[in-house]
Amino acid sequence: MFSAFAVHRVAAGMNRTQKFLSRTSVLSFSTISSASKVKAPPMVYISGEEMTHYASQLFVKQWIEPYFDTSNWETFDLSCKSRDETNDQVLKDAVEAGKRICAIFKEPTITPSTTQVKEMGLSKAFGSPNGAMRRGWNGITISRDTIHITGMELGYKNPVFFERHAVGGEYGAGWNQVGQGTLLTTYLPKDGSPPFVVDK
């Protein structure tokens, strides 16, 4: 449904791009004209903040925009400040654009804590945008692979692929403040038979 949900592949992509550019040294940023750029297809680009936003912008400015015409992209700023200034309208617009275009790239975003709300001068703490995106795009599975950087030992040799199923997850769950104790999971059968505690 969508091309990428986060930028966990940025570092790996940057490494592959560097190798490609080193083999094609005849190309240079200064000699490529806008007329020779490849027209990129429509896509929704959702920017976030902090370090991954910085890395993503380096990637786009240095290795995409010199070679691709990205005028078909629709960009939405989902930083805390932008969400606060628009009263979260920017999130609604991004979700609608994603439903229309069906190709989205999203940088990681911040769900501000109470402390961050004060530090950033926000009017309130907006919730995670990911739940609204999944509901709007019917995106129930997030695929993430690990980033392997040459020269860095991570404790394992083979690539690890993660599948996160965001169905009935924390974004739509309620909660109550409790004290010390034990939390039990109760199963409620649809056939009307008595409920029972799942935990053993």
Side-chain angles (χ1 to χ4, degrees), residues 55-103:
S56 298
Q57 290 307 299
L58 285 179
F59 182 86
V60 170
K61 298 297 182 184
Q62 295 185 23
W63 295 320
I64 293 181
E65 289 184 349
Y67 305 102
F68 295 89
D69 176 3
T70 60
S71 59
N72 282 332
W73 289 7
E74 295 186 25
T75 303
F76 298 89
D77 177 9
L78 285 192
S79 64
C80 291
K81 197 68 175 176
S82 175
R83 294 182 67 191
D84 191 67
E85 291 174 348
T86 64
N87 195 29
D88 229 13
Q89 183 61 45
V90 64
L91 172 59
K92 298 173 184 176
D93 294 342
V95 171
E96 288 303 313
K99 290 167 64 176
R100 173 168 42 84
I101 295 177
C102 298

Side-chain angles (χ1 to χ4, degrees), residues 2 26 48 137:
F2 45 91
V26 293
W137 302 332

Side-chain angles (χ1 to χ4, degrees), residues 134-135 139-140 164-174:
R134 293 189 188 106
R135 288 190 297 273
I140 58 176
R164 175 181 170 189
H165 297 275
V167 180
E170 63 179 289
Y171 299 109

